[in-house]
Structure formats: structure tokens, C-alpha cells
Amino acid sequence: IEAQGGQAHVVSLDVTDALSIEAAVEQAEAEVGPIDILINNAGISMRALFQDLDLEVFRKVMDTNFWGTVYATKYCLPAILAAKGSIIGISSINGYRGTPARTAYTASKYAMNGFFESLRTEVMKKGVHVLVVAPGFTASNIRNTALTADGSSQGESPRDESKMMTSEEVATHILQATSKRKRDLVLTTQGKLAVFLNKWIPGILDGIVYKQMAKEKDSPFN
């Protein structure tokens, strides 16, 4: 950002703690002025069968992915309303189609999608832009740090990251969609296909998704 002539400020916070977010928003506004764009990008994943999953892991994923989004949006909303700005939620294809061994992650993304759909309708006459982004598989650290059944880190990705869309490509798509004030953004051919097929042939897609997940390295189905 600074290389492009802008200014960058970093504020540390805990997205699972509403008071931490409130304080961070106050600090950010004191340093740079009112917030006009919020990107809810904090997230954590998990990989384990629900029957084996510690419920604290489920709670941690929901606290980070869903409640973190709710808290940040709540405390940034007054300034964004005044600026007629943008609220962006980084959801997932899992917000449209659940996958096995990702029950908590899927639930958090469905919750995000529903929250933003409702909020968008509330603010649609107030000039506020709400964009929900559903990236497909993206090369990032999220699978390396995904939580296992007992809450420990998975440690490595079970998928070939080299075949995925890069984080930089995803960011470029998000920037373009934000500038055009789009409503939804679904990324990757595979992701768009999954959303389409789940709408029209969900039963068949159940079997396809199961087979794909079972092929993963160290799959919990094996």
C-alpha cells in the first residue's frame, strides 16, 4: 500500500471478542478517520467427521467466522451508513453447498450468507453496498491451519494448492466487484458449477461431493 503512495495502519484485535473489535474500530477511526469499507476476511476451517468432533471446535469456528463478522459489521456500520460505503463478507462455496467433514465451517458460511442477505435488504434504501464473496478453492494457509477433531492444527493441506486460484487473483476479483458494487461474487469454474448443480440436482451432487472428499489425502472417510 505504501509503495503505491497510500498509508497503512495495523490494529491488532481478537475477532471472537466483541469488545476487542469495538476498541479496534475506535482506534482505527481515530488514526485514519471514518471507516467506509469493511472486508470481513477473518476465518478458520476444520476437517473432521461430526461424530468425532469436539463441540468446542465447532464453537471456535462459529465464533471466528460468523460472530467475528457480526461484531465487526455492527461496530463499523454507523460510519459506513454515513459514508454510503461497502460491507464485504468473504464467505465460501460452502455457504451454498455443504461438504462432509466440514460441518462447522459450512454452518458458519451459511450463517454469514443469511446474515448479509437480511442486512442487505435492511440497508438497500440507505445507499450501503453489501457484497458476499464465495471463493472456490484458493491457495492460502487456511487448510494448513484447519482444526482437526480435537482442536489441533491439521498442519498441511490435503489438496494440491498449485492448481488453485491464487489469493492475489481472488483479491483482484473482489476489488473489481466492490468498485462495481456487485451483490454476489462466486469464483472459480468448479465453484460456479457446484452452486449451479446444488440448485438443480442436489441429490446427485451429494454423491459427487462425497467421492471428491473421500479422495483427499488422509480423508476421514478412509
Side-chain angles (χ1 to χ4, degrees), residues 19-75:
L19 294 179
S20 176
I21 291 183
E22 183 179 23
V25 170
E26 290 176 354
Q27 181 182 344
E29 292 192 324
E31 292 181 358
V32 300
I35 293 169
D36 49 17
I37 298 177
L38 169 66
I39 303 175
N40 291 286
N41 189 50
I44 191 169
S45 189
M46 50 74 62
R47 184 172 178 249
L49 297 181
F50 181 69
Q51 67 188 44
D52 302 324
L53 187 65
D54 188 318
L55 286 178
E56 282 305 307
V57 175
F58 206 114
R59 187 183 303 278
K60 184 174 183 178
V61 173
M62 290 297 294
D63 282 348
T64 302
N65 298 1
F66 176 63
W67 282 109
T69 293
V70 171
Y71 297 149
T73 302
K74 177 68 173 179
Y75 292 117

Side-chain angles (χ1 to χ4, degrees), residues 115-198:
F115 167 67
F116 281 124
E117 184 170 75
S118 181
L119 180 65
R120 179 190 291 116
T121 310
E122 288 185 13
V123 300
M124 64 184 294
K125 301 296 186 180
K126 298 178 181 180
V128 173
H129 165 232
V130 178
L131 167 66
V132 175
V133 182
F137 285 116
T138 303
S140 71
N141 199 41
I142 193 167
R143 277 164 294 279
N144 296 6
T145 59
L147 304 179
T148 58
D150 63 1
S152 59
S153 178
Q154 182 170 250
E156 63 177 336
S157 174
R159 290 180 165 269
D160 184 355
E161 303 272 327
S162 66
K163 296 181 179 179
M164 299 179 185
M165 183 176 284
T166 67
S167 298
E168 290 79 9
E169 288 176 298
V170 173
T172 298
H173 284 293
I174 293 171
L175 176 60
Q176 292 171 346
T178 302
S179 65
K180 295 177 181 178
R181 296 175 79 87
K182 287 189 173 182
R183 183 182 190 277
D184 300 288
L185 177 64
V186 178
L187 294 174
T188 79
T189 300
Q190 185 183 40
K192 292 175 181 178
L193 184 62
V195 172
F196 176 81
L197 294 179
N198 197 57

